[in-house]
């Protein structure tokens, strides 16, 4: 049973290949590792008398895609380059994963899933930038792949990235369509023998109050003026992407020149989406404000309900005086809570500047599970360091926090509830049990999908690999 395997950390290879290996294929290359002189030993292959041993060549075809024998070797190199072990992975298993990716990509095309060239260019720019930073010279990667030039490598690399993106989108389409009902969750839990129930680690629930330093109107106007000057240059012909790389403070999009692809459901803040969807193709917005700072946006392409855009984010400078004032304010809030003038929850609702937690008394939501519990062994290290030594009802001292966008705030935190390690309980651990039940259903759905699509797709495996014992019926026996 999946749950037993999950709790014992002995998930079968099918699950590992289907769900986890996406990490190494999606990341394609750890460039620093790729250029090592790593040799992957092949098992001895017995060749019938009179036949020639093929050193490399096509070993499989899935729809319009092919698999080369050397692709298997590259797969082993990729895993080793990411620090993983390959000792328990056979060449047959590696081929099985490659066949899965090819079928995903092939079916994505049949289902009219579109991956734009602009999106691939953006992904490629990001990855090539990372490679160059790690290795120091992109020509080393080009040489490893035995290409004659950077341009030839880019063409080859773009094809790989497009195939991977198609496979990723196809997988997402299958998994996202899987839903689970409370009745299915209940039946899943009932099927687990009592002695096989998983044990969940110690957890805690945490609340916080956040105070944001106030930015002066003068500093805000400086940012608006800077963005207006950039906008003027862009309208006169300057490259938006280049300015995003040079000046934007949104670290996530800087490597791709500020590029994002989004639709109405994409989790961007409302103000950003309102502006983005009000623009025409090629139009550049006026500077506008969100909780992250000030932005300008240029829409590059509109495709139905989806848009491709670039943006630049600049945050106003926080003065030392503003930081000092914020610290004094949150210190006063803490003193009121400690002296019992107000509860932590009441103070959060009336004093906190963080909209996401203010309404529920400052209680944090675990981004990985979407509930209020944080497992100690999986908690963000920064948050853990802030709460690990707190006693019941103790309030931390004010902490200066800097988020991933360099935004500075002061906060105080407290532990509102502690849950000891325990055997799974349906009522107390419903969210976790639901996640396990959903994972099992997703795996079953993927298995059925492969069984059906293999029957309807042209698939050919040649040579010694026809003797492999695959997870799926690739040989259609």
């Amino acid at each position: 049973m999946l749950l037993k395997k999950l709790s014992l950390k002995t998930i079968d290879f099918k699950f590992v290949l289907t769900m986890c290996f996406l990490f190494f294929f999606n990341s394609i290359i750890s460039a620093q590792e790729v250029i090592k002189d790593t040799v992957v030993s092949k098992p001895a292959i017995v060749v019938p008398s009179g036949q020639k041993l093929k050193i490399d060549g096509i070993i499989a075809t899935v729809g319009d895609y092919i698999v080369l024998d050397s692709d298997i070797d590259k797969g082993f190199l990729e895993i080793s380059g990411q620090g993983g072990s390959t000792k328990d992975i056979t060449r047959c298993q590696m081929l099985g994963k490659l066949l899965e990716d090819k079928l995903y990509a092939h079916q994505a095309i049949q289902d009219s899933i579109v991956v734009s060239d602009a999106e691939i260019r953006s992904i490629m720019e990001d990855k090539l930038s990372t490679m160059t930073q790690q290795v120091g010279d992109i020509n080393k990667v080009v040489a490893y792949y035995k290409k004659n030039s950077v341009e030839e490598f880019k063409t080859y690399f773009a094809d790989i990235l497009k195939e991977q993106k198609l496979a990723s989108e196809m997988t997402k389409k299958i998994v996202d369509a899987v839903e689970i009902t409370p009745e299915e969750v209940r039946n899943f839990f009932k099927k687990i023998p009592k002695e096989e129930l998983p044990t969940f680690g110690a957890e805690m629930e945490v609340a916080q109050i956040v105070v944001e330093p106030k930015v002066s109107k003068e500093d805000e106007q400086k940012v608006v003026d800077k963005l207006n000057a950039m906008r003027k240059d862009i309208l006169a012909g300057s490259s938006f992407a280049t300015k995003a790389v040079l000046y934007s403070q949104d670290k996530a999009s800087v490597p791709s020149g500020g590029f994002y692809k989004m639709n109405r459901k994409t989790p961007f803040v409302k103000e950003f989406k309102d502006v983005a969807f009000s623009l025409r193709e090629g139009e550049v917005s006026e500077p506008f404000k969100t909780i992250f700072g000030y932005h300008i946006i240029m829409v590059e392409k509109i495709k139905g309900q989806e848009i491709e855009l670039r943006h630049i984010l600049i945050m106003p400078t926080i003065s030392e005086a503003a930081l000092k004032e914020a610290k004094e304010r949150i210190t006063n809030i803490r003193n009121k809570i400690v002296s019992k003038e107000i509860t932590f929850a009441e103070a959060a609702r009336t004093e906190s500047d963080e909209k996401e937690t203010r309404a529920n008394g400052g209680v944090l939501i675990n981004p990985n599970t979407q509930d209020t519990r944080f497992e100690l062994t999986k908690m963000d290290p920064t948050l853990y360091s802030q709460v690990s030594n707190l006693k019941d009802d103790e309030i931390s001292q004010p902490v200066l926090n800097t988020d991933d966008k360099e935004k500075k705030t002061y906060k105080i935190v407290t532990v509102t509830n502690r849950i000891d390690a325990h055997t799974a309980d349906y009522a107390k651990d419903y969210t976790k049990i639901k996640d396990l039940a959903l994972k099992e259903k997703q795996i079953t759905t993927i298995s059925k999908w492969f069984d059906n699509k293999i029957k309807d797709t042209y698939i050919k495996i040649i040579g010694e690999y026809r003797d492999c014992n695959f997870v799926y019926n690739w040989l259609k026996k």
Side-chain angles (χ1 to χ4, degrees):
M1 180 178 289
L2 171 65
L3 186 57
K4 182 178 180 181
K5 292 176 181 177
L6 284 170
S7 62
L8 296 178
K9 297 183 180 178
T10 55
I11 305 173
D12 66 17
F13 196 79
K14 176 179 178 180
F15 178 68
V16 174
L17 287 180
T18 304
M19 306 300 281
C20 297
F21 269 22
L22 288 175
F23 165 73
F24 109 73
F25 277 97
N26 285 342
S27 61
I28 184 70
I29 291 173
S30 174
Q32 193 163 1
E33 300 294 340
V34 161
I35 58 174
K36 289 182 178 179
D37 294 326
T38 309
V39 178
V40 178
S41 58
K42 294 185 181 181
I45 299 175
V46 179
V47 182
S49 177
Q51 291 188 18
K52 216 176 199 180
L53 177 62
K54 185 184 291 184
I55 301 302
D56 191 21
I58 298 173
I59 58 172
T61 304
V62 179
D64 297 327
Y65 291 93
I66 62 171
V67 181
L68 301 176
D69 198 34
S70 59
D71 291 336
I72 296 178
D73 296 319
K74 290 174 184 175
F76 282 105
L77 284 172
E78 297 287 351
I79 297 174
S80 298
Q82 297 290 346
S85 172
T86 61
K87 67 176 184 178
D88 295 324
I89 304 174
T90 67
R91 293 184 70 80
C92 286
Q93 289 170 328
M94 183 63 70
L95 174 58
K97 177 61 181 70
L98 292 170
L99 294 173
E100 290 175 24
D101 285 345
K102 304 299 181 185
L103 184 56
Y104 278 134
H106 171 77
Q107 193 59 44
I109 294 174
Q110 309 310 306
D111 289 1
S112 300
I113 293 176
V114 177
V115 175
S116 70
D117 291 340
E119 186 175 3
I120 296 303
R121 284 197 299 272
S122 174
I123 296 171
M124 182 163 62
E125 287 172 9
D126 187 11
K127 291 185 179 295
L128 289 178
S129 175
T130 301
M131 290 178 191
T132 304
Q133 289 175 8
Q134 291 178 332
V135 180
D137 185 358
I138 192 63
N139 289 310
K140 293 181 180 179
V141 180
V142 174
Y144 170 79
Y145 276 93
K146 299 179 181 177
K147 302 302 176 183
N148 295 320
S149 66
V150 172
E151 287 306 313
E152 183 182 347
F153 171 72
K154 284 185 176 181
T155 300
Y156 162 80
F157 195 27
D159 290 340
I160 293 176
L161 292 174
K162 187 167 186 176
E163 181 184 323
Q164 290 176 351
K165 185 63 177 176
L166 285 169
S168 174
E169 291 296 320
M170 189 68 244
T171 308
K172 184 176 184 296
K173 180 180 178 180
I174 300 167
V175 172
D176 286 353
V178 179
E179 297 179 345
I180 196 161
T181 66
E183 184 64 24
E184 288 175 308
V185 178
R186 184 162 41 249
N187 291 334
F188 171 82
F189 187 74
K190 286 180 178 178
K191 288 190 300 183
I192 307 171
K194 189 174 181 180
E195 63 275 10
E196 294 180 10
L197 287 170
T199 298
F200 296 127
E203 298 172 306
M204 62 173 58
E205 293 178 321
V206 180
Q208 68 182 25
I209 296 173
V210 177
V211 169
E212 296 180 4
K214 302 301 180 184
V215 180
S216 68
K217 291 183 179 180
E218 291 79 7
D219 287 332
E220 287 190 336
Q221 190 59 47
K222 287 179 183 178
V223 171
V224 172
D225 292 343
K226 187 173 183 179
L227 286 172
N228 272 324
M230 290 184 196
R231 181 176 183 271
K232 184 177 179 181
D233 289 345
I234 292 163
L235 293 175
S238 294
S239 167
F240 195 109
T242 299
K243 287 191 179 295
V245 171
L246 292 175
Y247 303 111
S248 181
Q249 292 175 283
D250 177 19
K251 292 181 180 179
S253 68
V254 163
S256 60
F259 180 85
Y260 281 116
K261 181 170 74 171
M262 61 184 291
N263 56 44
R264 291 283 184 183
K265 295 182 179 180
T266 306
F268 281 65
V269 292
K270 181 180 182 299
E271 297 88 345
F272 191 95
K273 288 199 286 189
D274 286 347
V275 173
F277 284 98
S278 71
L279 299 174
R280 298 185 298 272
E281 284 191 7
E283 190 175 1
V284 183
S285 75
E286 300 281 351
F288 65 95
K289 185 179 181 180
T290 72
I291 59 172
F292 301 109
Y294 284 86
H295 312 250
I296 55 172
I297 292 175
M298 181 180 72
V299 170
E300 290 193 335
K301 190 173 293 185
I302 301 174
K303 297 188 296 185
Q305 299 300 310
E306 190 172 74
I307 60 175
E308 294 179 0
L309 59 83
R310 295 186 187 275
H311 94 117
I312 295 171
L313 165 68
I314 298 181
M315 292 171 284
T317 302
I318 303 295
S319 68
E320 288 300 320
L323 283 171
K324 182 180 179 181
E325 183 181 341
K327 185 175 182 180
E328 290 175 352
R329 181 183 160 202
I330 202 164
T331 299
N332 289 335
I333 294 171
R334 181 181 184 277
N335 291 339
K336 288 181 181 180
I337 298 170
V338 172
S339 64
K340 309 295 184 183
E341 293 181 40
I342 192 172
T343 67
F344 194 99
E346 289 170 343
R349 294 187 186 98
T350 59
E351 302 286 348
S352 182
D353 291 330
E354 187 174 60
K355 294 180 181 179
E356 294 82 0
T357 60
R358 189 166 57 202
N360 60 348
V363 175
L364 292 176
I365 301 298
N366 188 329
N368 299 319
T369 61
Q370 298 306 309
D371 64 11
T372 58
R373 296 183 181 183
F374 291 82
E375 190 171 343
L376 268 59
T377 58
K378 299 177 182 178
M379 185 179 284
D380 175 78
T382 301
L383 179 60
Y384 179 79
S385 68
Q386 293 167 355
V387 300
S388 59
N389 294 322
L390 292 179
K391 299 175 183 177
D392 291 343
D393 299 323
E394 185 180 0
I395 314 298
S396 74
Q397 293 295 327
V399 176
L400 179 61
N401 186 68
T402 305
D403 66 14
D404 57 353
K405 289 184 170 58
E406 304 299 329
K407 182 179 179 180
K408 293 183 178 181
T409 56
Y410 271 100
K411 69 176 183 178
I412 52 175
V413 295
T414 188
V415 177
T416 59
N417 189 23
R418 300 178 194 272
I419 302 98
D420 294 331
H422 62 282
T423 300
D425 178 277
Y426 182 76
K428 295 179 180 178
D429 302 303
Y430 178 81
T431 301
K432 290 184 176 62
I433 294 166
K434 178 183 176 182
D435 288 343
L436 293 173
L438 180 60
K439 285 186 176 72
E440 183 179 70
K441 188 173 181 180
Q442 287 171 339
I443 292 168
T444 300
T445 301
I446 287 174
S447 295
K448 290 179 179 178
W449 184 90
F450 272 109
D451 290 341
N452 292 331
K453 298 305 178 184
I454 285 173
K455 294 175 185 176
D456 301 332
T457 306
Y458 174 77
I459 297 170
K460 184 177 181 181
I461 299 172
I462 64 176
E464 66 277 0
Y465 292 104
R466 291 186 61 82
D467 296 328
C468 289
N469 182 23
F470 294 113
V471 170
Y472 298 113
N473 185 26
W474 296 108
L475 298 170
K476 302 185 180 183
K477 293 181 179 177

